[in-house]
mmCIF file of all heavy atoms in Angstrom:
data_model
loop_
_atom_site.group_PDB
_atom_site.id
_atom_site.type_symbol
_atom_site.label_atom_id
_atom_site.label_comp_id
_atom_site.label_asym_id
_atom_site.label_seq_id
_atom_site.Cartn_x
_atom_site.Cartn_y
_atom_site.Cartn_z
ATOM 1 N N CYS A 180 0.829 -1.200 -0.001
ATOM 2 C CA CYS A 180 0.000 0.003 -0.003
ATOM 3 C C CYS A 180 0.877 1.255 0.005
ATOM 4 O O CYS A 180 0.608 2.222 -0.728
ATOM 5 C CB CYS A 180 -0.928 -0.007 1.216
ATOM 6 S SG CYS A 180 -2.191 1.272 1.129
ATOM 7 N N VAL A 181 1.915 1.244 0.798
ATOM 8 C CA VAL A 181 2.837 2.386 0.831
ATOM 9 C C VAL A 181 3.515 2.553 -0.522
ATOM 10 O O VAL A 181 3.648 3.676 -1.024
ATOM 11 C CB VAL A 181 3.870 2.202 1.975
ATOM 12 C CG1 VAL A 181 4.973 3.237 1.891
ATOM 13 C CG2 VAL A 181 3.186 2.265 3.327
ATOM 14 N N ASP A 182 3.933 1.438 -1.118
ATOM 15 C CA ASP A 182 4.540 1.498 -2.463
ATOM 16 C C ASP A 182 3.527 2.046 -3.471
ATOM 17 O O ASP A 182 3.894 2.817 -4.361
ATOM 18 C CB ASP A 182 5.041 0.132 -2.883
ATOM 19 C CG ASP A 182 6.256 -0.318 -2.082
ATOM 20 O OD1 ASP A 182 6.883 0.530 -1.408
ATOM 21 O OD2 ASP A 182 6.599 -1.526 -2.148
ATOM 22 N N GLY A 183 2.274 1.621 -3.336
ATOM 23 C CA GLY A 183 1.251 2.112 -4.260
ATOM 24 C C GLY A 183 1.022 3.597 -4.121
ATOM 25 O O GLY A 183 0.874 4.315 -5.118
ATOM 26 N N LEU A 184 1.009 4.074 -2.873
ATOM 27 C CA LEU A 184 0.869 5.515 -2.662
ATOM 28 C C LEU A 184 2.063 6.285 -3.212
ATOM 29 O O LEU A 184 1.902 7.378 -3.788
ATOM 30 C CB LEU A 184 0.692 5.814 -1.157
ATOM 31 C CG LEU A 184 -0.643 5.371 -0.552
ATOM 32 C CD1 LEU A 184 -0.631 5.559 0.959
ATOM 33 C CD2 LEU A 184 -1.783 6.162 -1.173
ATOM 34 N N GLN A 185 3.266 5.730 -3.051
ATOM 35 C CA GLN A 185 4.474 6.364 -3.592
ATOM 36 C C GLN A 185 4.408 6.402 -5.116
ATOM 37 O O GLN A 185 4.721 7.421 -5.736
ATOM 38 C CB GLN A 185 5.725 5.619 -3.132
ATOM 39 C CG GLN A 185 7.020 6.231 -3.636
ATOM 40 C CD GLN A 185 7.270 7.622 -3.078
ATOM 41 O OE1 GLN A 185 6.831 7.945 -2.001
ATOM 42 N NE2 GLN A 185 7.967 8.436 -3.840
ATOM 43 N N ALA A 186 3.963 5.307 -5.707
ATOM 44 C CA ALA A 186 3.847 5.255 -7.181
ATOM 45 C C ALA A 186 2.795 6.258 -7.654
ATOM 46 O O ALA A 186 2.981 6.902 -8.675
ATOM 47 C CB ALA A 186 3.475 3.836 -7.621
ATOM 48 N N GLN A 187 1.716 6.387 -6.905
ATOM 49 C CA GLN A 187 0.661 7.342 -7.277
ATOM 50 C C GLN A 187 1.220 8.759 -7.197
ATOM 51 O O GLN A 187 0.963 9.578 -8.081
ATOM 52 C CB GLN A 187 -0.540 7.190 -6.367
ATOM 53 C CG GLN A 187 -1.678 8.123 -6.724
ATOM 54 C CD GLN A 187 -2.867 7.982 -5.789
ATOM 55 O OE1 GLN A 187 -2.790 7.269 -4.794
ATOM 56 N NE2 GLN A 187 -3.942 8.663 -6.103
ATOM 57 N N LYS A 188 1.988 9.051 -6.156
ATOM 58 C CA LYS A 188 2.572 10.372 -6.018
ATOM 59 C C LYS A 188 3.551 10.671 -7.172
ATOM 60 O O LYS A 188 3.495 11.758 -7.764
ATOM 61 C CB LYS A 188 3.329 10.464 -4.664
ATOM 62 C CG LYS A 188 3.925 11.824 -4.413
ATOM 63 C CD LYS A 188 4.618 11.844 -3.049
ATOM 64 C CE LYS A 188 5.305 13.180 -2.825
ATOM 65 N NZ LYS A 188 6.070 13.194 -1.571
ATOM 66 N N GLU A 189 4.385 9.704 -7.517
ATOM 67 C CA GLU A 189 5.314 9.871 -8.632
ATOM 68 C C GLU A 189 4.551 10.056 -9.939
ATOM 69 O O GLU A 189 4.935 10.892 -10.774
ATOM 70 C CB GLU A 189 6.254 8.669 -8.735
ATOM 71 C CG GLU A 189 7.246 8.590 -7.618
ATOM 72 C CD GLU A 189 8.069 7.297 -7.642
ATOM 73 O OE1 GLU A 189 7.947 6.516 -8.607
ATOM 74 O OE2 GLU A 189 8.836 7.083 -6.685
ATOM 75 N N CYS A 190 3.485 9.298 -10.081
ATOM 76 C CA CYS A 190 2.648 9.433 -11.313
ATOM 77 C C CYS A 190 2.052 10.830 -11.404
ATOM 78 O O CYS A 190 2.006 11.415 -12.488
ATOM 79 C CB CYS A 190 1.575 8.363 -11.295
ATOM 80 S SG CYS A 190 0.533 8.353 -12.765
ATOM 81 N N GLN A 191 1.591 11.364 -10.292
ATOM 82 C CA GLN A 191 1.022 12.703 -10.288
ATOM 83 C C GLN A 191 2.092 13.752 -10.622
ATOM 84 O O GLN A 191 1.810 14.693 -11.363
ATOM 85 C CB GLN A 191 0.397 13.033 -8.926
ATOM 86 C CG GLN A 191 -0.906 12.324 -8.682
ATOM 87 C CD GLN A 191 -1.462 12.563 -7.275
ATOM 88 O OE1 GLN A 191 -0.733 12.972 -6.375
ATOM 89 N NE2 GLN A 191 -2.733 12.258 -7.099
ATOM 90 N N GLU A 192 3.312 13.546 -10.105
ATOM 91 C CA GLU A 192 4.389 14.480 -10.416
ATOM 92 C C GLU A 192 4.734 14.427 -11.903
ATOM 93 O O GLU A 192 4.924 15.464 -12.541
ATOM 94 C CB GLU A 192 5.631 14.165 -9.568
ATOM 95 C CG GLU A 192 5.451 14.500 -8.100
ATOM 96 C CD GLU A 192 6.605 14.039 -7.258
ATOM 97 O OE1 GLU A 192 7.563 13.425 -7.790
ATOM 98 O OE2 GLU A 192 6.568 14.261 -6.029
ATOM 99 N N VAL A 193 4.788 13.206 -12.460
ATOM 100 C CA VAL A 193 5.083 13.068 -13.885
ATOM 101 C C VAL A 193 3.939 13.688 -14.706
ATOM 102 O O VAL A 193 4.182 14.378 -15.709
ATOM 103 C CB VAL A 193 5.277 11.584 -14.263
ATOM 104 C CG1 VAL A 193 5.270 11.385 -15.762
ATOM 105 C CG2 VAL A 193 6.562 11.064 -13.648
ATOM 106 N N ASN A 194 2.720 13.480 -14.247
ATOM 107 C CA ASN A 194 1.551 14.032 -14.943
ATOM 108 C C ASN A 194 1.618 15.565 -14.938
ATOM 109 O O ASN A 194 1.360 16.208 -15.971
ATOM 110 C CB ASN A 194 0.273 13.538 -14.271
ATOM 111 C CG ASN A 194 -0.968 13.906 -15.050
ATOM 112 O OD1 ASN A 194 -0.882 14.193 -16.249
ATOM 113 N ND2 ASN A 194 -2.099 13.928 -14.395
ATOM 114 N N GLN A 195 1.997 16.153 -13.793
ATOM 115 C CA GLN A 195 2.140 17.620 -13.725
ATOM 116 C C GLN A 195 3.245 18.098 -14.651
ATOM 117 O O GLN A 195 3.099 19.109 -15.325
ATOM 118 C CB GLN A 195 2.394 18.049 -12.283
ATOM 119 C CG GLN A 195 1.192 17.893 -11.387
ATOM 120 C CD GLN A 195 1.535 18.153 -9.931
ATOM 121 O OE1 GLN A 195 2.708 18.272 -9.558
ATOM 122 N NE2 GLN A 195 0.513 18.218 -9.111
ATOM 123 N N HIS A 196 4.349 17.360 -14.703
ATOM 124 C CA HIS A 196 5.463 17.727 -15.578
ATOM 125 C C HIS A 196 5.020 17.683 -17.045
ATOM 126 O O HIS A 196 5.296 18.594 -17.837
ATOM 127 C CB HIS A 196 6.651 16.793 -15.340
ATOM 128 C CG HIS A 196 7.817 17.055 -16.233
ATOM 129 N ND1 HIS A 196 8.590 18.191 -16.139
ATOM 130 C CD2 HIS A 196 8.333 16.340 -17.254
ATOM 131 C CE1 HIS A 196 9.522 18.148 -17.079
ATOM 132 N NE2 HIS A 196 9.399 17.039 -17.762
ATOM 133 N N VAL A 197 4.327 16.605 -17.412
ATOM 134 C CA VAL A 197 3.843 16.458 -18.795
ATOM 135 C C VAL A 197 2.816 17.550 -19.105
ATOM 136 O O VAL A 197 2.811 18.095 -20.219
ATOM 137 C CB VAL A 197 3.259 15.041 -19.007
ATOM 138 C CG1 VAL A 197 2.529 14.942 -20.317
ATOM 139 C CG2 VAL A 197 4.364 14.010 -18.945
ATOM 140 N N GLN A 198 2.002 17.894 -18.131
ATOM 141 C CA GLN A 198 1.020 18.957 -18.325
ATOM 142 C C GLN A 198 1.715 20.286 -18.569
ATOM 143 O O GLN A 198 1.291 21.066 -19.448
ATOM 144 C CB GLN A 198 0.118 19.064 -17.094
ATOM 145 C CG GLN A 198 -1.056 19.985 -17.252
ATOM 146 C CD GLN A 198 -2.049 19.493 -18.281
ATOM 147 O OE1 GLN A 198 -2.268 18.316 -18.446
ATOM 148 N NE2 GLN A 198 -2.645 20.399 -19.015
ATOM 149 N N ARG A 199 2.801 20.563 -17.825
ATOM 150 C CA ARG A 199 3.561 21.793 -18.063
ATOM 151 C C ARG A 199 4.176 21.799 -19.461
ATOM 152 O O ARG A 199 4.134 22.807 -20.163
ATOM 153 C CB ARG A 199 4.638 21.966 -16.995
ATOM 154 C CG ARG A 199 4.139 22.454 -15.651
ATOM 155 C CD ARG A 199 5.283 22.839 -14.729
ATOM 156 N NE ARG A 199 6.183 21.739 -14.449
ATOM 157 C CZ ARG A 199 6.045 20.887 -13.445
ATOM 158 N NH1 ARG A 199 5.020 21.012 -12.623
ATOM 159 N NH2 ARG A 199 6.936 19.922 -13.236
ATOM 160 N N GLN A 200 4.712 20.639 -19.858
ATOM 161 C CA GLN A 200 5.310 20.551 -21.206
ATOM 162 C C GLN A 200 4.240 20.748 -22.275
ATOM 163 O O GLN A 200 4.482 21.414 -23.283
ATOM 164 C CB GLN A 200 5.985 19.194 -21.383
ATOM 165 C CG GLN A 200 7.278 19.060 -20.632
ATOM 166 C CD GLN A 200 7.926 17.696 -20.855
ATOM 167 O OE1 GLN A 200 7.248 16.711 -21.123
ATOM 168 N NE2 GLN A 200 9.250 17.628 -20.708
ATOM 169 N N LEU A 201 3.070 20.198 -22.072
ATOM 170 C CA LEU A 201 1.978 20.371 -23.009
ATOM 171 C C LEU A 201 1.570 21.832 -23.108
ATOM 172 O O LEU A 201 1.360 22.366 -24.195
ATOM 173 C CB LEU A 201 0.768 19.521 -22.599
ATOM 174 C CG LEU A 201 -0.494 19.671 -23.429
ATOM 175 C CD1 LEU A 201 -0.243 19.221 -24.866
ATOM 176 C CD2 LEU A 201 -1.628 18.870 -22.828
ATOM 177 N N THR A 202 1.504 22.508 -21.973
ATOM 178 C CA THR A 202 1.155 23.917 -21.963
ATOM 179 C C THR A 202 2.193 24.739 -22.720
ATOM 180 O O THR A 202 1.856 25.604 -23.526
ATOM 181 C CB THR A 202 1.031 24.427 -20.499
ATOM 182 O OG1 THR A 202 0.053 23.637 -19.820
ATOM 183 C CG2 THR A 202 0.630 25.889 -20.463
ATOM 184 N N GLN A 203 3.477 24.429 -22.487
ATOM 185 C CA GLN A 203 4.530 25.123 -23.213
ATOM 186 C C GLN A 203 4.449 24.864 -24.712
ATOM 187 O O GLN A 203 4.617 25.769 -25.529
ATOM 188 C CB GLN A 203 5.900 24.699 -22.678
ATOM 189 C CG GLN A 203 6.204 25.189 -21.290
ATOM 190 C CD GLN A 203 7.503 24.620 -20.721
ATOM 191 O OE1 GLN A 203 8.087 23.712 -21.308
ATOM 192 N NE2 GLN A 203 7.925 25.132 -19.584
ATOM 193 N N ALA A 204 4.165 23.604 -25.075
ATOM 194 C CA ALA A 204 4.062 23.263 -26.489
ATOM 195 C C ALA A 204 2.870 23.996 -27.132
ATOM 196 O O ALA A 204 2.964 24.478 -28.272
ATOM 197 C CB ALA A 204 3.904 21.754 -26.658
ATOM 198 N N GLN A 205 1.769 24.094 -26.385
ATOM 199 C CA GLN A 205 0.598 24.814 -26.926
ATOM 200 C C GLN A 205 0.910 26.289 -27.101
ATOM 201 O O GLN A 205 0.509 26.903 -28.103
ATOM 202 C CB GLN A 205 -0.614 24.610 -25.996
ATOM 203 C CG GLN A 205 -1.198 23.232 -26.081
ATOM 204 C CD GLN A 205 -2.299 23.006 -25.056
ATOM 205 O OE1 GLN A 205 -2.329 23.649 -24.000
ATOM 206 N NE2 GLN A 205 -3.178 22.061 -25.346
ATOM 207 N N GLU A 206 1.633 26.873 -26.123
ATOM 208 C CA GLU A 206 2.011 28.285 -26.257
ATOM 209 C C GLU A 206 2.933 28.490 -27.465
ATOM 210 O O GLU A 206 2.757 29.445 -28.218
ATOM 211 C CB GLU A 206 2.698 28.755 -24.987
ATOM 212 C CG GLU A 206 1.764 28.885 -23.811
ATOM 213 C CD GLU A 206 2.478 29.145 -22.489
ATOM 214 O OE1 GLU A 206 3.741 29.196 -22.474
ATOM 215 O OE2 GLU A 206 1.789 29.315 -21.462
ATOM 216 N N LEU A 207 3.872 27.566 -27.641
ATOM 217 C CA LEU A 207 4.774 27.635 -28.802
ATOM 218 C C LEU A 207 3.980 27.480 -30.098
ATOM 219 O O LEU A 207 4.234 28.180 -31.075
ATOM 220 C CB LEU A 207 5.862 26.578 -28.680
ATOM 221 C CG LEU A 207 6.910 26.593 -29.790
ATOM 222 C CD1 LEU A 207 7.684 27.899 -29.792
ATOM 223 C CD2 LEU A 207 7.870 25.415 -29.614
ATOM 224 N N LEU A 208 3.020 26.559 -30.094
ATOM 225 C CA LEU A 208 2.187 26.361 -31.276
ATOM 226 C C LEU A 208 1.416 27.633 -31.623
ATOM 227 O O LEU A 208 1.380 28.036 -32.784
ATOM 228 C CB LEU A 208 1.191 25.219 -31.042
ATOM 229 C CG LEU A 208 0.169 24.975 -32.142
ATOM 230 C CD1 LEU A 208 0.854 24.527 -33.428
ATOM 231 C CD2 LEU A 208 -0.862 23.974 -31.685
ATOM 232 N N HIS A 209 0.848 28.298 -30.625
ATOM 233 C CA HIS A 209 0.111 29.556 -30.887
ATOM 234 C C HIS A 209 1.043 30.620 -31.434
ATOM 235 O O HIS A 209 0.686 31.363 -32.327
ATOM 236 C CB HIS A 209 -0.584 30.035 -29.614
ATOM 237 C CG HIS A 209 -1.692 29.156 -29.144
ATOM 238 N ND1 HIS A 209 -2.724 28.762 -29.952
ATOM 239 C CD2 HIS A 209 -1.961 28.619 -27.920
ATOM 240 C CE1 HIS A 209 -3.553 27.982 -29.273
ATOM 241 N NE2 HIS A 209 -3.104 27.866 -28.033
ATOM 242 N N LYS A 210 2.258 30.645 -30.879
ATOM 243 C CA LYS A 210 3.247 31.628 -31.364
ATOM 244 C C LYS A 210 3.596 31.337 -32.822
ATOM 245 O O LYS A 210 3.644 32.262 -33.654
ATOM 246 C CB LYS A 210 4.491 31.556 -30.480
ATOM 247 C CG LYS A 210 5.578 32.545 -30.869
ATOM 248 C CD LYS A 210 6.764 32.406 -29.955
ATOM 249 C CE LYS A 210 7.901 33.299 -30.394
ATOM 250 N NZ LYS A 210 9.105 33.111 -29.581
ATOM 251 N N LYS A 211 3.835 30.056 -33.133
ATOM 252 C CA LYS A 211 4.188 29.688 -34.510
ATOM 253 C C LYS A 211 3.028 29.919 -35.464
ATOM 254 O O LYS A 211 3.224 30.277 -36.625
ATOM 255 C CB LYS A 211 4.650 28.232 -34.578
ATOM 256 C CG LYS A 211 5.951 27.968 -33.830
ATOM 257 C CD LYS A 211 7.092 28.792 -34.373
ATOM 258 C CE LYS A 211 8.372 28.541 -33.614
ATOM 259 N NZ LYS A 211 9.453 29.404 -34.043
ATOM 260 N N GLU A 212 1.801 29.676 -34.977
ATOM 261 C CA GLU A 212 0.631 29.947 -35.823
ATOM 262 C C GLU A 212 0.525 31.437 -36.141
ATOM 263 O O GLU A 212 0.180 31.827 -37.264
ATOM 264 C CB GLU A 212 -0.653 29.456 -35.129
ATOM 265 C CG GLU A 212 -0.828 27.945 -35.154
ATOM 266 C CD GLU A 212 -2.027 27.490 -34.340
ATOM 267 O OE1 GLU A 212 -2.547 28.267 -33.513
ATOM 268 O OE2 GLU A 212 -2.444 26.336 -34.564
ATOM 269 N N ALA A 213 0.837 32.274 -35.153
ATOM 270 C CA ALA A 213 0.819 33.724 -35.382
ATOM 271 C C ALA A 213 1.900 34.114 -36.398
ATOM 272 O O ALA A 213 1.657 34.941 -37.292
ATOM 273 C CB ALA A 213 1.025 34.451 -34.063
ATOM 274 N N GLU A 214 3.077 33.482 -36.267
ATOM 275 C CA GLU A 214 4.146 33.760 -37.225
ATOM 276 C C GLU A 214 3.746 33.274 -38.629
ATOM 277 O O GLU A 214 4.031 33.951 -39.621
ATOM 278 C CB GLU A 214 5.421 33.048 -36.793
ATOM 279 C CG GLU A 214 6.101 33.672 -35.589
ATOM 280 C CD GLU A 214 7.319 32.897 -35.123
ATOM 281 O OE1 GLU A 214 7.729 31.922 -35.800
ATOM 282 O OE2 GLU A 214 7.867 33.259 -34.070
ATOM 283 N N ALA A 215 3.089 32.133 -38.690
ATOM 284 C CA ALA A 215 2.648 31.611 -39.990
ATOM 285 C C ALA A 215 1.631 32.544 -40.623
ATOM 286 O O ALA A 215 1.675 32.781 -41.829
ATOM 287 C CB ALA A 215 2.068 30.216 -39.831
ATOM 288 N N ALA A 216 0.713 33.092 -39.812
ATOM 289 C CA ALA A 216 -0.263 34.031 -40.331
ATOM 290 C C ALA A 216 0.441 35.258 -40.865
ATOM 291 O O ALA A 216 0.066 35.789 -41.929
ATOM 292 C CB ALA A 216 -1.257 34.402 -39.226
ATOM 293 N N THR A 217 1.456 35.734 -40.179
ATOM 294 C CA THR A 217 2.222 36.899 -40.638
ATOM 295 C C THR A 217 2.935 36.579 -41.953
ATOM 296 O O THR A 217 2.924 37.378 -42.879
ATOM 297 C CB THR A 217 3.247 37.319 -39.556
ATOM 298 O OG1 THR A 217 2.571 37.580 -38.347
ATOM 299 C CG2 THR A 217 4.041 38.525 -39.983
ATOM 300 N N CYS A 218 3.501 35.362 -42.017
ATOM 301 C CA CYS A 218 4.178 34.958 -43.263
ATOM 302 C C CYS A 218 3.186 34.850 -44.416
ATOM 303 O O CYS A 218 3.492 35.267 -45.531
ATOM 304 C CB CYS A 218 4.890 33.631 -43.050
ATOM 305 S SG CYS A 218 6.364 33.760 -42.012
ATOM 306 N N LYS A 219 2.017 34.282 -44.144
ATOM 307 C CA LYS A 219 1.005 34.176 -45.201
ATOM 308 C C LYS A 219 0.606 35.553 -45.703
ATOM 309 O O LYS A 219 0.452 35.751 -46.901
ATOM 310 C CB LYS A 219 -0.233 33.426 -44.672
ATOM 311 C CG LYS A 219 -0.013 31.938 -44.536
ATOM 312 C CD LYS A 219 -1.257 31.234 -44.015
ATOM 313 C CE LYS A 219 -1.030 29.761 -43.839
ATOM 314 N NZ LYS A 219 -2.213 29.079 -43.278
#
């Protein structure tokens, strides 16, 4: 049970890290879309 709780905590930390990366990727995507619109 303790190992399961530790694994759940690690999973939540990884999930938060991936969520931050996704947010950064979405921000970069919006920036690149704006650049593409300017180029068009």
Side-chain angles (χ1 to χ4, degrees):
C180 190
V181 170
D182 290 346
L184 289 173
Q185 181 65 28
Q187 182 181 7
K188 182 179 177 184
E189 290 173 7
C190 183
Q191 286 175 343
E192 290 173 359
V193 168
N194 189 20
Q195 289 172 350
H196 178 69
V197 169
Q198 188 66 34
R199 282 191 300 271
Q200 287 181 333
L201 176 63
T202 303
Q203 290 173 351
Q205 287 174 335
E206 290 171 357
L207 183 62
L208 174 65
H209 292 308
K210 182 181 175 184
K211 294 300 180 185
E212 285 175 343
E214 289 176 6
T217 303
C218 288
K219 285 180 182 178

